[in-house]
Amino acid sequence: MTEKKIYDIVIIGGGPGGLSAAKSAAENGAKSILVLERDREVGGILQQCVHNGFGLHHFKEELTGPGYAQKCYDLVKDRLEVEIMTDTMVLHIRESEGTKVVTAVNPKNGLMNVEGKTVILTMGCRERTRGAIRIPGYRPAGVYTAGAAQRMVNMEGYLPGHKIVILGSGDIGLIMARRMSLEGCKVEAVLEICPFSNGLTRNIVQCLNDYDIPLYLSHTITGIKGKDRVEGVTVSKVDDKMRPIAGTEFDIDCDTILLSVGLIPENELSRELGVAIHPRTNGPVVDQHRETSMDGVFAAGNVVHVHDLVDFVSDEAEIAGKFAAIKANGEAQPAKKDIAVNPGDGVNTCVPQHIRLADGADESVRLFMRARSPERKVTLHITDANGDVMKKPLPIVKPSEMIAVDIPAAKVKALAGDVTVSIEGGK
Amino acid sequence: MAIEKKVMNCIMCPMGCELTATIEDGTVTSVVGNTCPRGAKYAKDELTHPMRMLTSTVRIDGGALHLLPVVSKTTLPKGMILDCAEELRGVVAKAPVHVGDVIVPNILGLGVDIVASRDMAAV
């Protein structure tokens, strides 16, 4: 009988997070890394994001989604330490006598268990659907999430419809407005329930304004017309509590509705495993090395918190890969200090939620935050039990654009008590 | 002399800097608010001859997938984007393809090549 193989690291998901983690883990001394991917190829959602604008931070060049995925894959494909299994669905992860047992299934091996000294969770996120936002009315054909429509148009070669209304002005909705226009469809309107768009400004300009597509802020769909197929929508203005205002209804004819109404980190496996989930990010609570509440379980990318830039996903996954490699090699130093990082005024979420420091640790820490509301000329203020840690003026903050700030190593070393991050000033 | 100020958002990268361009007698004389040199160039181009990248897909014969994502090598005139997209709807590439391979040279005579944005193996 051959000895049971235990991988240094098993990575769940082969999108940009998983591939970047694998690359970094290999560079940092991990000898055996297994990437499990459920789709027919690696690259994740990037493969259907055919537009450009990716990679300026991480690769210092502007790439399309498939181009970015290609680069991530090219960096690991010839590495002997990295093994990739596609068409492989992970069903369950459990802890057993210090190793992580991953149960997965694929057409070649059937049901199988693989073991890892460490696991990196990089499952990404999925879209909220019609059910999640409770649009009343019939269930006719023609209602799609924007990402599902994106896959149909960009990878499978079908058009979901011809006259389109998009609900939600997040980036996927905006990108799809342009994409459908380029394919000869008519996008009648983009509706946004918030008084501001949740998409990047550049996407409002080049995806809506360029194609004369109207954006209705503080509006939502209050009715879907049609029984077998969508025939139109009823749209209402909403008040400052997002409640539809009676008497403001108007109709738009369309045959297709695309929903771009938010993303949810995909954490069913994490929850079953027993990882602590943060109620606000809906992702695992992590420290600055992206280690979760469980020893040897790391998480990075959209499974931790939804990012707007894939570049930051790669950056974060490289951190997870590095420290998973160090842990697998038995070189991790035990943490002696555990500092909580809490969002204060004006800050909705902050990752990592903990800074755990070993004796003599000498490392800078990058915090990623989201603002609660759009503001101009604000100050990002980091404090601890002793008062000021640092202040950084920011010309503009928006909930849709993640804020990154580095706490230098010397300041990390001097941290005393829990840390609070606030956005001050504005208006 | 007519002096006009125009506020716009840069689209060169996801930062989306807010730019204020000063136009004197039809010439852009200053741009402020940009955090990199690309912003100043964008404002000048946008006010005189707006340009856009084009990304789309073309059908592919004998490939691992049905569609090949493509991208314009450089920017194209904004007013020609829909014409170029229509042109691409009739194009069929042939697998195998490597990232960067030219799929449509000199699209519509505009001097810009359309290239593959990923590898696509033949099956």
Side-chain angles (χ1 to χ4, degrees):
Chain A
M1 206 174 127
T2 54
E3 199 182 330
K4 189 171 63 178
K5 173 158 190 178
I6 299 179
Y7 289 92
D8 281 348
I9 306 173
V10 180
I11 298 177
I12 319 296
L19 295 175
S20 301
K23 171 205 160 240
S24 157
E27 284 173 355
N28 284 284
K31 302 287 184 300
S32 56
I33 301 154
L34 176 64
V35 181
L36 301 175
E37 166 56 43
R38 67 182 167 191
D39 207 345
R40 58 199 167 193
E41 58 181 356
V42 292
I45 287 306
L46 283 175
Q47 297 289 15
Q48 68 184 52
C49 301
V50 301
H51 54 281
N52 60 322
F54 303 92
L56 280 165
H57 295 269
H58 192 74
F59 288 118
K60 310 291 176 222
E61 63 176 303
E62 181 158 14
L63 299 162
T64 63
Y68 192 103
Q70 180 88 54
K71 276 210 174 276
C72 291
Y73 177 59
D74 287 347
L75 289 169
V76 297
K77 67 177 181 192
D78 297 325
R79 281 196 168 267
L80 297 174
E81 307 93 328
V82 181
E83 187 184 333
I84 295 174
M85 282 188 196
T86 53
D87 275 325
T88 304
M89 183 79 188
V90 174
L91 304 174
H92 188 70
I93 312 167
R94 68 190 161 88
E95 172 95 41
S96 172
E97 292 163 10
T99 68
K100 322 299 176 218
V101 182
V102 178
T103 305
V105 62
N106 70 24
K108 198 171 142 211
N109 305 321
L111 191 68
M112 60 180 175
N113 280 335
V114 292
E115 291 188 36
K117 291 180 193 164
T118 63
V119 161
I120 305 178
L121 306 171
T122 49
M123 291 89 77
C125 58
R126 63 161 175 263
E127 292 176 282
R128 294 174 80 203
T129 59
R130 180 176 173 181
I133 55 165
R134 298 189 291 271
I135 305 175
Y138 279 113
R139 269 33 185 177
V143 183
Y144 299 91
T145 60
Q150 188 179 47
R151 175 138 182 153
M152 287 172 77
V153 175
N154 290 345
M155 299 197 75
E156 311 301 338
Y158 303 101
L159 280 182
H162 301 283
K163 264 168 87 79
I164 322 280
V165 167
I166 299 176
L167 178 62
S169 63
D171 289 311
I172 311 168
L174 300 176
I175 293 289
M176 281 309 289
R178 175 177 60 184
R179 191 71 194 106
M180 301 308 291
S181 303
L182 288 175
E183 289 297 333
C185 302
K186 177 89 174 86
V187 180
E188 301 291 344
V190 175
L191 312 169
E192 170 59 57
I193 196 167
C194 294
F196 50 87
S197 165
N198 284 302
L200 297 172
T201 310
R202 71 190 304 242
N203 288 335
I204 306 273
V205 174
Q206 60 183 350
C207 299
L208 299 188
N209 301 354
D210 277 9
Y211 298 91
D212 297 322
I213 299 167
L215 170 63
Y216 294 89
L217 297 173
S218 296
H219 280 75
T220 193
I221 293 177
T222 46
I224 294 178
K225 297 175 166 196
K227 195 165 179 188
D228 296 321
R229 177 77 199 188
V230 171
E231 290 167 9
V233 290
T234 303
V235 176
S236 301
K237 199 170 173 20
V238 299
D239 64 17
D240 55 7
K241 295 201 172 63
M242 294 187 190
R243 292 173 305 202
I245 303 170
T248 62
E249 301 87 356
F250 61 96
D251 291 346
I252 303 175
D253 287 346
C254 63
D255 59 25
T256 302
I257 301 167
L258 301 186
L259 303 175
S260 173
V261 292
L263 300 166
I264 313 165
E266 196 162 333
N267 276 297
E268 283 70 22
L269 292 169
S270 327
R271 285 195 177 88
E272 279 182 358
L273 175 59
V275 161
I277 302 289
H278 194 274
R280 220 171 283 162
T281 56
N282 288 312
V285 172
V286 292
D287 67 15
Q288 79 277 23
H289 301 152
R290 300 303 183 271
E291 191 164 11
T292 67
S293 61
M294 292 178 72
D295 190 49
V297 178
F298 295 77
N302 284 342
V303 81
V304 173
H305 56 148
V306 176
H307 294 62
D308 33 87
L309 297 184
V310 67
D311 302 72
F312 286 158
V313 169
S314 286
D315 291 352
E316 198 177 278
E318 288 188 355
I319 297 172
K322 175 181 173 184
F323 287 94
I326 290 171
K327 173 91 34 159
N329 286 335
E331 292 158 1
Q333 300 297 318
K336 289 287 161 60
K337 220 159 112 181
D338 187 344
I339 299 158
V341 182
N342 299 313
D345 289 346
V347 176
N348 192 23
T349 59
C350 184
V351 170
Q353 292 92 347
H354 290 269
I355 298 172
R356 286 194 281 224
L357 298 173
D359 282 341
D362 186 29
E363 52 183 313
S364 68
V365 172
R366 172 167 285 194
L367 300 180
F368 292 104
M369 287 136 295
R370 279 197 191 277
R372 277 187 182 279
S373 56
E375 305 285 353
R376 280 171 186 280
K377 294 201 169 62
V378 293
T379 304
L380 185 79
H381 193 185
I382 303 176
T383 56
D384 67 1
N386 290 341
D388 287 351
V389 176
M390 57 186 283
K391 284 185 178 180
K392 187 182 178 188
L394 298 170
I396 189 162
V397 294
K398 297 176 184 180
S400 58
E401 298 180 14
M402 208 154 71
I403 306 161
V405 65
D406 293 308
I407 310 181
K411 292 194 183 222
V412 171
K413 215 181 275 184
L415 286 176
D418 292 348
V419 168
T420 303
V421 189
S422 320
I423 291 173
E424 295 167 353
K427 287 274 149 60
Chain B
M1 200 160 84
I3 298 181
E4 197 192 340
K5 283 203 188 289
K6 199 139 188 184
V7 179
M8 63 178 81
N9 282 103
C10 182
I11 62 167
M12 295 312 287
C13 87
M15 287 268 291
C17 294
E18 191 175 286
L19 312 176
T20 304
T22 307
I23 307 148
E24 290 178 37
D25 287 333
T27 310
V28 179
T29 51
S30 89
V31 179
V32 293
N34 52 309
T35 50
C36 81
R38 304 199 315 159
K41 182 174 184 323
Y42 169 78
K44 283 178 190 158
D45 289 350
E46 190 67 9
L47 292 166
T48 52
H49 54 285
M51 303 291 280
R52 294 289 184 270
M53 294 291 285
L54 172 62
T55 56
S56 191
T57 55
V58 299
R59 282 184 289 157
I60 184 162
D61 263 353
L65 304 176
H66 307 295
L67 296 174
L68 174 74
V70 294
V71 57
S72 58
K73 191 106 205 230
T74 58
T75 52
L76 291 156
K78 182 178 144 187
M80 293 302 290
I81 288 288
L82 281 172
D83 296 300
C84 292
E86 198 177 334
E87 175 79 5
L88 289 179
R89 264 177 255 152
V91 171
V92 182
K94 187 146 182 48
V97 164
H98 287 107
V99 61
D101 283 359
V102 175
I103 304 300
V104 180
N106 188 17
I107 189 163
L108 298 180
L110 295 166
V112 175
D113 294 343
I114 303 294
V115 301
S117 52
R118 59 167 284 176
D119 293 350
M120 183 77 68
V123 287

